[in-house]
């Protein structure tokens, strides 16, 4: 509280009166610019400070009071909204349980899955708001008769009547043909001419996928850079003090036994992550130049072998897709429907196994082995989807091929009269197959394996054990599914709805697998680094989906008989038409200038200047942070020297009352530090340790408190224990 007013009493000469002290404190608080909310005073004293800071004038006083009240109401509403969001958050209790039992690394996978679910719901909301609802309100005309283009295609394949008897309703659902005439696919969307309607369904349908991709990019980028400022501030060599975690990790508000057990597991997992990172850091520091050169050569050899395997895998995907599309009317068409998804799944299953085997032959450290395998798994997963997209484009759109029908219609019109529906069906089947594969592995592989391991005992079953829950593998699976969804936004607008259902069910399937059938990964993951990796892979998948979509929208001729853009050479041509119909000549000239090369050069110069300023500011901030860190170390070292000087001057407790001079031996045995069990940064260098056994705490770790000679025990000889020793 503020210093109270006291009655003046007799004071020594030169000592200010309490009244003068109180008035000086009031004047200092009145003139200070510090926010009142952060001052360490009671609420009554803060109101008094508010009154002292009020400027003269009634009008200004009322305006500022209204501003403060508005800011207070907004702050309280924002805090209430945040509390409501946390209370009604999806899977909060499940995420808390998973994070406590298995660590923040595995929890980050389920948090990432929830983030993808929100992205799909946002995409679905945009599509439904700007396309489906206006389309239902405007009541488009009935589709006209289909154009028969096969009579102009010599040697075109006709449908065999005997094939249809093999189809049933379930097979139609799995292949997507049961929803061909619904709003699930592109071909069912029909509207009249642009001049006959006020609201342009074509423009909304064209811009909705682009807006979805842009919003997903912004959300992913925001989550990815969330932890970068803290990483930059702390630096690469920052190591968190373990003793501080020991004494400050427990939550003393816990009163439930189950919550206490979860908290214990959470603290244990944090220690495992810290100790594993410290051990890896020490191993990297101990490598010599010769060892690093040998490792570099082995890296090159392994990467070349794995690169050849990746090339063979994507070649197999290309030929499987081409064979499936070229033999659509064969008797084995039922099996060929899922040939490309099956080959992609087989490649993504066998690829990581071969990568791990090749990497293990070189006897790499565990972290290097995992990182190298993970890098090539990401390359294989994204390259397989890219090759699948390219093979569809070559078969349907004749990209890189010479064909008569493509010269006349801009696509393979003989075999694909509505090629957008065909591409949408392929992506639909790929999404269905990925989810069915997840369900099959969970209940047909992982569950029987757990039952057999628990039922039988022996050397083989002990070696087999439960399946390890690998976070990177599961992340790559859901990223691949999300990439397929983004690729199909134009051809299959309601594919985000299907993927949302799959992600919702995948959460519970993976949770059951983790809690009942699997064991945690032997390599712990830190949540911040794993989250950055997840978002980076997701951005790569977004880029992989955006490039083909941009090419199709701007350059490929639409189908002649289905969809919204039947009379346009490319879907993007609807934008100049609407500009010519709805804008005055001045606006048209302005948009034409913004899209011309004359505007690109000033824009490029401006972006270069902005980028230069941002880089300069970032470098200046990095230099300032470096200077502040050095200044902090200097201040801590200065305090250490002051503490040592003070420890030499203080008398020992047992000899405080004894007269006479102190012996040098007693002064040498006096402790020189008051660091109570915490690591003291900036302490003096290591000295020779005293004879005798070292102090070991209850956990089996050397104590970080300074010894009798002012040297921390961790500075003498500290060894990070492995995770298996915990």
């Amino acid at each position: 509280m503020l210093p109270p007013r006291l009655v003046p009493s007799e004071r020594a000469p030169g000592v200010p009166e309490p009244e003068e002290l109180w008035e000086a404190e009031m004047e200092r608080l009145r003139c200070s610019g510090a926010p009142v909310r952060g001052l360490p005073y009671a609420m009554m004293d803060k109101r008094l400070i508010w009154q002292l800071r009020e400027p003269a004038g009634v009008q200004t006083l009322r305006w500022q009071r209204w501003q403060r009240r508005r800011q207070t109401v907004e702050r309280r509403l924002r805090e209430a909204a945040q509390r409501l969001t946390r209370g009604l958050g999806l899977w909060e209790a499940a995420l808390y349980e998973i994070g406590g039992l298995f660590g923040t690394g595995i929890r980050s996978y389920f948090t990432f899955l929830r983030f993808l679910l929100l992205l799909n719901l946002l995409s679905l909301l945009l599509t439904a708001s700007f396309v489906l609802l206006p389309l239902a309100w405007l009541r488009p005309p009935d589709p006209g008769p289909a154009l028969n283009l096969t009579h102009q295609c010599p040697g075109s394949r006709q449908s065999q009547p005997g094939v249809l008897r093999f189809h049933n309703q379930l097979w139609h659902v799995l292949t997507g043909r049961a929803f061909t005439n619904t709003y699930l696919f592109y071909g069912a969307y029909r509207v009249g001419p642009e001049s006959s309607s006020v609201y342009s369904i074509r423009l909304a349908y064209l811009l909705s996928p682009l807006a979805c991709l842009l919003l997903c990019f912004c959300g992913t980028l925001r989550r990815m850079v969330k932890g970068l400022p803290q990483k930059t501030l702390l630096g690469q060599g920052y190591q968190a003090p373990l003793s501080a975690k020991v004494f400050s990790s427990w939550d003393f508000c816990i009163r439930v036994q189950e919550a206490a057990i979860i908290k214990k597991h959470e603290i244990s997992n944090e220690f495992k992550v810290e100790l594993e990172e410290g051990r890896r850091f020490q191993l990297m520091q101990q490598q010599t130049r010769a060892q690093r050169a040998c490792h570099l050569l082995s890296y090159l050899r392994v990467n070349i072998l794995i690169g050849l395997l990746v090339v063979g895998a994507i070649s197999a995907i290309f030929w499987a897709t081409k064979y499936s599309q070229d033999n659509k009317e064969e008797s084995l068409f039922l099996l060929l429907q899922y040939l490309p998804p099956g080959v992609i799944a087989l490649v993504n299953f066998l690829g990581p196994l071969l990568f791990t085997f090749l990497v293990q032959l070189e006897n790499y450290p565990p972290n290097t082995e995992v990182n190298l395998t993970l890098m090539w798994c990401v390359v294989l997963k994204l390259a397989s989807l890219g090759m699948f997209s390219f093979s569809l484009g070559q078969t349907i759109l004749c990209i890189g091929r010479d064909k008569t029908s493509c010269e006349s219609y801009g696509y393979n019109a003989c075999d694909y009269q509505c090629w957008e529906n065909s591409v949408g069906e392929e992506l639909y089947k790929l999404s269905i197959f990925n989810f069915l594969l997840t369900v099959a592995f969970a209940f047909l592989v992982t569950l029987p394996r757990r039952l057999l391991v628990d039922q039988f005992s022996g050397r083989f079953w002990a070696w087999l054990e439960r399946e390890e829950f690998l976070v990177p593998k599961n992340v790559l699976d859901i990223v691949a599914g999300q990439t397929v969804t983004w690729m199909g936004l134009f051809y299959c607008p309601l594919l985000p709805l299907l993927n949302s259902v799959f992600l919702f069910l995948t959460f519970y399937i993976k949770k059951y697998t983790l809690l009942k059938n699997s064991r945690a990964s032997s390599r712990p993951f830190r949540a911040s680094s794993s989250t950055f990796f997840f978002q980076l892979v997701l951005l790569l998948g977004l880029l992989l989906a955006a490039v083909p979509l941009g090419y199709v929208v701007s350059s490929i001729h639409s189908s002649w008989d289905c969809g919204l853009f039947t009379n346009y050479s490319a879907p993007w041509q609807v934008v100049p038409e609407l500009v010519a119909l709805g804008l005055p000549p001045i606006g048209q000239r302005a948009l034409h200038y913004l899209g011309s090369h004359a505007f690109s050069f000033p824009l490029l110069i401006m972006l270069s200047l902005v980028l230069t300023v941002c880089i300069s500011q970032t470098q200046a901030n990095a230099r300032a942070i470096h200077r502040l860190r050095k200044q902090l170390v200097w201040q801590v070292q200065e305090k250490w020297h002051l503490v040592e000087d003070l420890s030499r001057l203080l008398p020992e407790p047992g000899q405080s009352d004894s007269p006479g001079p102190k012996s040098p031996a007693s002064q040498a045995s006096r402790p020189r530090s008051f660091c109570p069990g915490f690591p003291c940064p900036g302490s003096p260098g290591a000295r020779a340790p005293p004879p005798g056994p070292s102090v070991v705490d209850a956990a089996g770790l050397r104590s970080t408190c300074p010894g009798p000679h002012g040297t921390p025990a961790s500075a003498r000889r500290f060894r990070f224990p492995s995770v298996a020793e915990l």
Side-chain angles (χ1 to χ4, degrees):
M1 293 187 58
L2 293 174
R5 298 193 182 193
L6 300 176
V7 180
S9 58
E10 296 182 358
R11 295 279 180 178
V15 177
E17 297 292 335
E19 183 73 19
E20 298 177 359
L21 292 175
W22 190 85
E23 292 179 356
E25 181 67 16
M26 290 295 100
E27 183 66 21
R28 186 187 67 82
L29 292 175
R30 187 184 68 83
C31 299
S32 175
V36 181
R37 187 181 181 184
L39 296 177
Y41 296 121
M43 187 59 66
M44 181 178 61
D45 300 330
K46 291 182 178 181
R47 293 194 184 98
L48 177 60
I49 298 172
W50 272 117
Q51 296 176 4
L52 291 175
R53 292 185 178 183
E54 292 291 352
V58 180
Q59 298 297 331
T60 306
L61 181 62
R62 290 178 180 177
W63 171 256
Q64 290 188 353
R65 285 181 177 176
W66 181 81
Q67 287 282 353
R68 287 197 301 269
R69 289 172 184 170
R70 183 181 61 83
Q71 293 175 0
T72 303
V73 171
E74 290 179 356
R75 176 175 51 82
R76 291 178 179 176
L77 289 177
R78 186 165 55 251
E79 292 176 354
Q82 292 177 357
R83 289 195 299 268
L84 182 63
T85 304
R86 287 193 296 267
L88 300 178
L90 184 63
W91 302 321
E92 287 292 338
L95 291 176
Y96 176 76
E97 180 184 4
I98 292 172
L101 295 177
F102 300 98
T104 56
I106 295 181
R107 176 183 174 177
S108 63
Y109 161 73
F110 290 92
T111 307
F112 179 68
L113 196 148
R114 182 178 63 177
F115 171 69
L116 292 183
L117 176 60
L118 296 178
L119 288 184
N120 284 275
L121 293 178
L122 179 61
S123 302
L124 179 64
L125 180 62
L126 286 176
T127 305
S129 301
F130 294 100
V131 178
L132 294 180
L133 293 181
L135 195 62
W137 176 263
L138 294 177
R139 294 181 180 180
D142 296 332
L147 295 178
N148 189 8
L149 302 176
T150 57
H151 67 277
Q152 302 179 10
C153 303
S156 60
R157 296 186 298 266
Q158 302 292 334
S159 298
Q160 296 181 6
V163 179
L164 296 177
R165 70 175 185 268
F166 294 98
H167 291 182
N168 53 23
Q169 192 63 28
L170 177 60
W171 188 255
H172 280 294
V173 171
L174 293 178
T175 57
R177 293 190 174 183
F179 311 105
T180 302
N181 297 323
T182 63
Y183 285 151
L184 180 62
F185 294 105
Y186 164 86
Y189 292 83
R190 285 293 188 90
V191 292
E194 289 297 331
S195 58
S196 63
S197 61
V198 179
Y199 184 82
S200 178
I201 298 292
R202 289 186 177 89
L203 184 62
Y205 188 93
L206 178 63
L207 297 182
S208 293
L210 303 180
C212 293
L213 293 178
L214 181 60
L215 290 177
C216 293
F217 174 78
C218 294
T220 305
L221 189 64
R222 179 179 176 274
R223 283 176 60 92
M224 186 176 69
V225 302
K226 207 170 186 180
L228 290 182
Q230 182 181 3
K231 183 178 181 181
T232 304
L233 178 63
L234 296 178
Q236 297 290 338
Y238 175 78
Q239 296 292 332
L242 296 179
S243 55
K245 287 184 175 293
V246 169
F247 292 102
S248 62
S249 296
W250 185 255
D251 186 3
F252 290 93
C253 297
I254 294 178
R255 294 293 183 269
V256 183
Q257 181 67 23
E258 183 178 357
I261 294 174
I262 294 177
K263 188 64 178 179
K264 290 178 182 178
H265 284 284
E266 181 180 356
I267 296 174
S268 175
N269 291 323
E270 289 181 0
F271 274 106
K272 290 178 181 179
V273 172
E274 292 290 344
L275 295 174
E276 181 66 19
E277 288 187 354
R279 189 179 66 85
R280 291 201 302 265
F281 182 76
Q282 284 188 350
L283 290 177
M284 292 176 59
Q285 295 296 325
Q286 293 174 359
Q287 288 183 353
T288 61
R289 292 185 177 180
Q291 292 176 345
R292 293 177 182 175
C294 294
H295 287 170
L296 180 60
L297 294 177
S298 62
Y299 288 162
L300 294 176
R301 182 173 61 252
V302 171
N303 287 331
I304 291 174
L305 292 176
I306 295 179
L308 295 176
L309 290 177
V310 170
V311 171
I314 61 178
S315 300
I317 294 173
F318 172 77
W319 290 110
T321 306
K322 187 176 182 300
Y323 183 79
S324 175
Q325 296 298 320
D326 291 342
N327 297 274
K328 293 178 58 177
E329 306 301 332
E330 299 294 336
S331 59
L332 295 178
F333 177 56
L334 296 178
L335 299 178
L336 297 178
Q337 285 275 0
Y338 277 88
L339 179 62
V343 174
I344 292 175
L346 182 63
V347 164
N348 291 318
F349 175 73
L350 296 178
L353 297 179
L354 295 176
F355 298 163
T356 305
F357 175 74
L358 291 176
V359 172
Q360 287 179 350
L361 291 178
E362 301 294 336
N363 294 324
Y364 290 136
N367 60 319
T368 305
E369 174 184 333
V370 172
N371 293 335
L372 187 59
T373 306
L374 181 59
M375 179 189 69
W376 280 108
C377 289
V378 172
V379 172
L380 178 62
K381 183 75 71 171
L382 298 180
S384 61
L385 293 178
M387 181 54 66
F388 176 72
S389 177
F390 175 76
S391 59
L392 284 179
Q394 190 181 44
T395 305
I396 298 175
L397 304 178
C398 301
I399 298 177
R401 295 176 61 185
D402 294 331
K403 206 164 186 178
T404 306
S405 60
C406 296
E407 296 177 358
S408 303
Y409 305 103
Y411 62 94
N412 190 359
C414 296
D415 301 328
Y416 307 93
Q417 292 193 13
C418 188
W419 67 266
E420 290 90 351
N421 276 11
S422 300
V423 176
E425 289 177 4
E426 294 297 329
L427 297 176
Y428 172 86
K429 289 186 291 186
L430 188 58
S431 181
I432 289 285
F433 189 82
N434 288 337
F435 177 71
L436 294 179
L437 202 63
T438 300
V439 176
F441 265 95
F443 296 103
L444 300 181
V445 177
T446 308
L447 178 60
R449 179 176 176 177
R450 190 262 299 177
L451 295 176
L452 292 175
V453 169
D454 294 346
Q455 183 69 24
F456 299 100
S457 60
R459 182 176 301 177
F460 172 76
W461 302 108
W463 169 80
L464 183 62
E465 63 180 351
R466 294 189 177 189
E467 184 181 2
E468 185 178 3
F469 191 87
L470 298 176
V471 175
K473 175 183 176 299
N474 290 279
V475 168
L476 291 180
D477 291 338
I478 60 175
V479 166
Q482 186 62 41
T483 304
V484 172
T485 302
W486 283 334
M487 293 170 64
L489 285 176
F490 184 79
Y491 317 104
C492 189
L494 296 184
L495 195 58
L497 174 62
L498 191 66
N499 196 38
S500 299
V501 177
F502 291 163
L503 289 175
F504 186 83
L505 297 177
T506 301
F507 182 90
Y508 291 100
I509 292 174
K510 292 297 181 180
K511 179 187 174 184
Y512 171 77
T513 302
L514 176 64
L515 296 178
K516 302 296 183 181
N517 302 330
S518 301
R519 57 185 175 90
S521 176
S522 58
R523 180 178 182 265
F525 288 89
R526 186 180 292 274
S528 58
S529 59
S530 57
T531 302
F532 180 82
F533 165 74
F534 299 165
Q535 308 305 324
L536 180 60
V537 177
L538 189 62
L539 280 182
L540 295 177
L542 181 63
L543 180 64
L544 181 63
V547 171
L549 179 60
Y551 175 72
V552 167
V553 166
S554 61
S555 303
I556 301 300
H557 198 291
S558 302
S559 297
W560 289 89
D561 183 53
C562 66
L564 297 170
F565 307 99
T566 53
N567 298 324
Y568 295 91
S569 59
W572 188 255
Q573 294 299 321
V574 72
V575 177
E577 179 182 350
L578 291 176
V579 169
L581 290 175
L583 290 181
I586 298 178
Q588 296 180 24
R589 286 195 296 268
L591 288 179
H592 179 72
Y593 173 73
L594 293 178
S596 62
H597 295 287
F599 178 73
S600 61
F601 291 106
L603 180 62
L604 182 61
I605 294 174
M606 185 180 65
L607 291 178
S608 301
L609 292 176
V610 171
L611 183 61
T612 303
V613 171
C614 292
I615 293 176
S616 302
Q617 185 66 32
T618 303
Q619 293 176 354
N621 292 337
R623 289 193 296 267
I625 291 173
H626 182 67
R627 287 195 298 268
L628 290 175
R629 293 181 64 186
K630 291 179 65 176
Q631 183 179 357
L632 180 61
V633 173
W634 292 339
Q635 290 178 357
V636 173
Q637 290 178 352
E638 183 179 359
K639 291 179 181 179
W640 263 83
H641 291 301
L642 291 176
V643 168
E644 286 188 346
D645 295 339
L646 182 61
S647 64
R648 295 189 189 96
L649 297 177
L650 289 178
E652 292 188 0
Q655 302 177 0
S656 59
D657 299 333
S658 59
K662 306 297 184 299
S663 63
S666 63
Q667 292 184 3
S669 62
R670 189 181 299 121
R672 296 185 178 183
S673 175
F674 300 98
C675 182
F678 290 91
C680 302
S683 59
R687 298 169 183 155
S694 60
V695 181
V696 180
D697 58 4
L701 306 175
R702 282 189 190 273
S703 174
T704 56
C705 298
H709 292 271
T711 305
S714 61
R716 292 194 295 269
R717 293 187 66 182
F718 180 75
R719 182 183 63 86
F720 282 100
S722 62
V723 177
E725 296 177 1
L726 292 177

